Amino acid sequence: MNYFSSDFKLGILGGGQLGKMMLYETRKWDVWTKVLDASPEAPCKISCDQFVQGELLDFETVYNFGQGLDVLTIEIENVNLDALERLEKEGLKVFPQPRALRIIQNKAKQKLFYVDHDIPTSEFQRFAYLSEIEDSINNGGLKLPFVWKVAQFGYDGQGVKVVRSLADLQGLPTGECIAETMIPFKNELAVIVARNSKGETKTYPVVEMEFHPEANQVEYVICPARIDDKVATKARELALHVAEKIGLTGLLAVEMFQTQDDQILVNEVAPRPHNSGHYSIEASFTNQFEQHIRCILNLPLGATESKVAGIMVNLVGAEGHTGDVVYENMEDILKLEGVTPHIYGKKQTRPFRKMGHVTIVNPDIDQARKTAQQVKETIKVISK
C-alpha cells in the first residue's frame, strides 16, 4: 500500500502530546491523519488533517471514528476496547492489537500475565475493593509498607501511592487495586521495544529514570543508563522477551527495576510511545515516534542507536500555580548548548501537569546531566 501523499487514512485515538509528536512524523511523510480527543483544545488539533471531539471510552464514538480508516492506533491506552475489537473483527487494522491492550490496560491483569509467563516482577496481591486491604493488613496477610496501584486508568503518577500506614489509604479510590511489595532498587530503568507486523523487532538503549520524590513522575531520563554492560544486556533481553510474549505491533515501553544484586524485575509496560523515549527526537537515529509509525505501517524498522548522549527533563506545572500558563526563563535555557525545548500546547497549567519537556544532548553524558540540572533549576512553568 502507498501511504505517502495518497488516500491512505491513519486514525489516532488520543490527541495529547504523544499524538502531537507522532504527527510531526506523519506530516514529514505526508500521511493523512484523523484524531479523536475529548478536549476541544487538544494539542493534536492544529496538526492533523481531521479532528473529532469525543470521548475515548464511549463505544459508539470510538466505533464511528474508526469507519473509513485504513489503520487505527492509540497514544493513550485508556480507550474503549469493545469498539476496537468490533472494528478489528470488521477488517480494520488496529495497532497495538486490542487483545494486547486487554492485558495492559488493567494493572492486575498485567501482573498476572507476568506470573503466567515467568517474567520476573515484584510480588503483589490483587484486591477487588480498597476495604479488603485494611482487612489483609489487620490479618497479617499484607505487610507495610507497600505500593498501592489502581488497577484501571492510572497514568503519569496518578493512581500510585506508597502506603506506609493505614492513614495513607484515606481518600484513595475504593475499587479494584493491587498492592506490590516495595523493591529496594538500585535504579529504575526502561527499554523501548519496536515490533512491526512481520515480527521484526528492535530495542532502544536502556535509559535510567530519576523520579520526583512526591509526584511519582519522571524528572530526568538519561540515555545511555549509567549501568554495567551486562545489566544493560539483561534489561534489553528481558524487554524483548516481554514484547514477544505480549505480541503487539507498535512500541512497547518496558519499565524495570534493577535490584541491589543486579536482578531485573519488570515494573509495568506502556503500549505506545513513552516519556522514557522523548530523548530520541534529538539523540537517536530514528526517534520513537517515527519508529511507531514504521511499526504500525509494517515498514522496515529504523536504527535505534543514539547519535549522542541525551537527557530529557520533564516540564511540569509548578506547585501553587493553576491557570493560564507562562514559561519563565525560556530565553535563559535557550542560551545553553544542546538544549531543545518541546512545548505541548496545553494552555492551562496545574501542579505537576506535564506541560512539555526539554532535551539536552552532549557527547559527554556527565556534562549533559549538569546542563539538565541547570535547565531544571532555571525554567519555571507557572500561571499568570
Side-chain angles (χ1 to χ4, degrees):
M1 184 179 280
N2 178 21
Y3 304 111
F4 318 103
S5 299
S6 71
D7 294 334
F8 171 83
K9 290 180 165 49
L10 172 65
I12 303 171
L13 293 177
Q17 63 264 22
L18 299 176
K20 183 186 180 190
M21 289 182 273
M22 224 184 275
L23 291 171
Y24 295 169
E25 308 308 319
T26 56
R27 288 175 68 133
K28 188 168 77 183
W29 286 351
D30 195 28
V31 173
W32 192 95
T33 52
K34 179 179 172 183
V35 173
L36 175 70
D37 195 86
S39 170
E41 295 178 348
C44 279
K45 190 174 182 181
I46 59 164
S47 306
C48 58
D49 292 285
Q50 185 180 349
F51 180 78
V52 178
Q53 190 181 341
E55 295 295 333
L56 298 171
L57 289 167
D58 181 70
F59 178 92
E60 293 296 335
T61 302
V62 173
Y63 179 73
N64 291 334
F65 178 81
Q67 303 303 312
L69 296 174
D70 295 292
V71 171
L72 180 57
T73 191
I74 62 165
E75 63 106 54
I76 184 171
E77 53 269 38
N78 295 336
V79 297
N80 190 294
L81 297 184
D82 293 336
L84 293 189
E85 284 169 346
R86 168 81 68 84
L87 289 164
E88 188 180 51
K89 206 173 277 184
E90 292 174 1
L92 178 62
K93 290 178 179 174
V94 181
F95 302 124
Q97 295 86 336
R99 59 170 173 71
L101 293 177
R102 284 263 177 228
I103 299 163
I104 295 167
Q105 199 182 68
N106 182 292
K107 286 196 169 69
K109 284 184 185 170
Q110 194 183 132
K111 291 286 279 191
L112 289 167
F113 180 85
Y114 301 149
V115 173
D116 291 345
H117 292 84
D118 297 320
I119 293 164
T121 191
S122 60
E123 291 183 9
F124 73 103
Q125 292 182 47
R126 182 184 192 178
F127 297 96
Y129 301 99
L130 183 71
S131 55
E132 294 176 358
I133 289 186
E134 193 166 337
D135 296 340
S136 184
I137 293 169
N138 291 335
N139 297 332
L142 182 61
K143 290 185 171 52
L144 296 162
F146 59 85
V147 180
W148 169 90
K149 290 183 181 178
V150 67
Q152 202 97 0
F153 307 136
Y155 71 98
D156 280 357
Q158 306 298 313
V160 179
K161 187 173 184 179
V162 175
V163 176
R164 301 182 192 281
S165 69
L166 286 175
D168 291 332
L169 296 170
Q170 298 299 315
L172 294 179
T174 56
E176 187 188 8
C177 56
I178 59 172
E180 292 182 331
T181 302
M182 281 189 74
I183 303 296
F185 56 81
K186 195 188 290 185
N187 280 308
E188 293 202 52
L189 309 172
V191 175
I192 289 176
V193 183
R195 190 172 185 274
N196 65 19
S197 331
K198 295 187 190 101
E200 181 189 357
T201 53
K202 287 195 178 184
T203 60
Y204 279 81
V206 184
V207 300
E208 173 189 345
M209 300 186 286
E210 291 184 25
F211 279 75
H212 186 284
E214 291 154 44
N216 194 45
Q217 282 182 332
V218 176
E219 278 197 301
Y220 300 99
V221 171
I222 300 164
C223 185
R226 298 163 297 184
I227 56 174
D228 185 83
D229 285 347
K230 284 181 186 168
V231 176
T233 299
K234 197 188 293 186
R236 288 176 89 161
E237 285 173 354
L238 179 57
L240 199 54
H241 176 65
V242 173
E244 284 171 351
K245 287 295 180 192
I246 293 175
L248 60 70
T249 296
L251 292 192
L252 187 75
V254 185
E255 295 181 43
M256 297 174 269
F257 296 123
Q258 176 190 0
T259 65
Q260 297 298 337
D261 59 351
D262 290 340
Q263 295 305 304
I264 303 292
L265 303 178
V266 174
N267 178 19
E268 54 188 54
V269 298
R272 53 173 168 74
H274 189 254
N275 198 250
S276 63
H278 289 347
Y279 76 91
S280 65
I281 299 175
E282 278 73 38
S284 303
F285 284 102
T286 310
N287 75 63
Q288 67 165 343
F289 300 97
E290 179 184 321
Q291 195 76 286
H292 180 73
I293 300 299
R294 285 173 178 250
C295 288
I296 64 173
L297 301 187
N298 210 20
L299 297 168
L301 300 184
T304 54
E305 293 81 14
S306 296
K307 295 180 268 193
V308 66
I311 295 186
M312 185 218 59
V313 177
N314 269 330
L315 294 182
V316 300
E319 291 183 78
H321 287 272
T322 300
D324 295 343
V325 66
V326 175
Y327 295 91
E328 202 171 60
N329 305 325
M330 180 70 86
E331 286 186 20
D332 294 331
I333 69 162
L334 286 169
K335 289 173 189 168
L336 303 172
E337 206 166 297
V339 169
T340 306
H342 292 258
I343 304 301
Y344 296 157
K346 299 171 184 176
K347 307 303 182 203
Q348 298 290 307
T349 185
R350 59 177 180 267
F352 302 118
R353 188 184 193 195
K354 280 187 190 167
M355 301 297 290
H357 72 263
V358 181
T359 311
I360 299 94
V361 293
N362 195 292
D364 180 350
I365 190 83
D366 295 327
Q367 182 53 53
R369 180 63 183 80
K370 280 180 195 160
T371 305
Q373 187 78 35
Q374 211 177 332
V375 167
K376 188 78 183 169
E377 290 168 2
T378 302
I379 193 164
K380 300 286 179 251
V381 183
I382 58 172
S383 54
K384 284 181 184 173

